[in-house]
Amino acid sequence: MSVEKPPVEICKGVHGLDKVVLREVRGSSAEVYLYGGHVTSWRNDHGEELLFLSTKADFKPPKAIRGGIPICFPQFGSHGNLDQHGFARNRFWSIDTNPPPFPTVSINKAFIDLIFKPSEEDLKIWPHSYEFRLRITLGPGGDLMLTSRIRNIDAKPFSFTFAYHTYLSVSDISEVRVEGLETLDFLDNLKAKERFTEQGDAITFESEVDKIYLATPTKIAIIDHEKKRTFVLRKDGLPDAVVWNPWEKKAKSMADFGDDDYKHMLCVEAAAVEKAITLKPGEEWKGRLELSAVPSSYRSGQLDPQRVLQG
């Protein structure tokens, strides 16, 4: 007789780092490392991995984990004076034993609350006091939800940029298309953040891409033709969307990235980059990401929530 595993398990991961495993009764799962508040795995009820993790991912602090869902805070990319993507992904988070109320479905038990507060060293780098709370939830249908709450507990305002740097696992990048961002303006990081307008009816990939799409819809579809799978990304509080694939040349230049890894990943990131978020003392910002994986008969224009849930 098999013993049913708990919906939330705290255990050890790579190199003895603390991690949390979330399990849903139908078989889906997620893994979260306290280092970085970092989701490193999300599996459906068939046990298929839906997130990409580099074959050379280095789980040795202070280096960030390559893949999964790194949290970019208080800076996205090089949009500021800090190191690339800020420092939240390079810090140890704590389990939040006294979180504020979250509107979570009461029947769902597979979630964990984490908290990150700046250390003395962090305050030297970025002199602002805050509480960053993160709830990671595995929904009854296997959906993955990340809700961030950042509260200013300082005496002065501060501004930040942010992204859920989501690495999706795909069969073959040349067989993937993204719908929901067509005709939008974007900043091209490969061309000194110059502004362009997207052409065509969907985004496909045949070379390096690093774009920040502006004023994006709350729902984006990433269609993997070979796997007959569509990722549906929903977001709140995050107006921008970053699309990134390093392609062959850049992949080979990255020490923690396998030479051929670019073929099997695509980053589509819910973000707030173009206009920084500013919080006055006592104010709180909330940013939410929800990821679903559904059969590929769906397109972004007809993603009726009921049909997705039934799919």
Side-chain angles (χ1 to χ4, degrees):
M1 179 174 158
S2 64
V3 178
E4 187 176 319
K5 292 185 176 177
V8 181
E9 181 186 1
I10 299 165
C11 53
K12 296 293 183 184
V14 181
H15 299 316
L17 293 173
D18 290 325
K19 75 173 179 180
V20 180
V21 181
L22 303 177
R23 297 185 184 90
E24 209 283 315
V25 289
R26 294 180 203 171
S28 57
S29 66
E31 295 185 4
V32 187
Y33 275 73
L34 295 192
Y35 178 59
H38 195 134
V39 178
T40 56
S41 173
W42 170 41
R43 292 179 183 271
N44 63 16
D45 52 10
H46 301 297
E48 296 170 312
E49 181 59 64
L50 302 172
L51 296 179
F52 164 86
L53 195 67
S54 168
T55 55
K56 293 184 176 179
D58 188 350
F59 285 74
K60 291 179 182 171
K63 189 160 182 56
I65 300 166
R66 173 71 70 183
I69 309 179
I71 295 209
C72 303
F73 171 84
Q75 175 183 300
F76 173 79
S78 58
H79 291 251
N81 303 318
L82 301 174
D83 287 345
Q84 176 89 352
H85 293 323
F87 49 76
R89 64 186 186 143
N90 307 88
R91 300 292 188 268
F92 284 94
W93 294 51
S94 304
I95 293 173
D96 191 357
T97 53
N98 188 28
F102 277 80
T104 301
V105 181
S106 58
I107 58 167
N108 183 32
K109 296 180 181 143
F111 67 88
I112 190 72
D113 287 298
L114 303 182
I115 188 166
F116 169 54
K117 297 179 183 180
S119 67
E120 298 274 328
E121 291 304 308
D122 294 338
L123 289 168
K124 291 176 186 173
I125 301 169
W126 198 65
H128 306 290
S129 294
Y130 55 86
E131 291 176 341
F132 187 151
R133 285 184 158 88
L134 173 65
R135 172 167 287 191
I136 299 155
T137 305
L138 196 59
D143 296 354
L144 182 66
M145 290 160 272
L146 285 78
T147 305
S148 291
R149 290 183 172 190
I150 297 169
R151 180 177 292 279
N152 181 351
I153 56 171
D154 213 330
K156 57 186 183 295
F158 62 73
S159 301
F160 61 91
T161 50
F162 182 95
Y164 292 114
H165 198 319
T166 307
Y167 287 76
L168 298 170
S169 174
V170 300
S171 53
D172 181 343
I173 186 62
S174 62
E175 296 292 320
V176 172
R177 57 191 276 143
V178 177
E179 294 188 357
L181 302 175
E182 51 278 4
T183 74
L184 297 182
D185 284 3
F186 64 88
L187 307 177
D188 194 336
N189 283 325
L190 301 179
K191 296 181 179 175
K193 302 184 177 75
E194 194 176 340
R195 191 176 184 125
F196 298 92
T197 301
E198 187 61 58
Q199 310 295 327
D201 61 350
I203 299 164
T204 55
F205 302 91
E206 51 192 28
S207 60
E208 182 181 356
V209 175
D210 190 353
K211 297 176 178 178
I212 302 164
Y213 289 85
L214 311 173
T216 58
T218 57
K219 192 162 50 183
I220 300 166
I222 301 97
I223 300 155
D224 186 337
H225 292 294
E226 197 170 306
K227 282 189 178 169
K228 295 184 169 58
R229 173 189 294 148
T230 296
F231 290 105
V232 184
L233 183 156
R234 294 180 181 84
K235 58 190 179 63
D236 293 304
L238 295 156
D240 304 324
V242 181
V243 177
W244 180 68
N245 182 292
W247 220 254
E248 188 173 9
K249 185 179 177 184
K250 186 161 188 181
K252 288 180 176 174
S253 73
M254 293 167 16
D256 61 351
F257 200 87
D259 288 357
D260 293 325
D261 279 357
Y262 75 93
K263 296 176 182 176
H264 307 296
M265 57 72 65
L266 176 64
C267 285
V268 181
E269 312 166 31
V273 180
E274 186 195 22
K275 294 174 183 166
I277 295 154
T278 299
L279 292 179
K280 295 173 186 169
E283 276 190 334
E284 182 180 79
W285 169 82
K286 182 177 171 184
R288 186 169 174 275
L289 166 69
E290 180 178 346
L291 295 169
S292 314
V294 298
S296 250
S297 53
Y298 297 102
R299 293 292 184 269
S300 58
Q302 57 187 61
L303 283 170
D304 178 71
Q306 290 308 115
R307 291 185 59 197
V308 168
L309 289 172
Q310 291 162 7

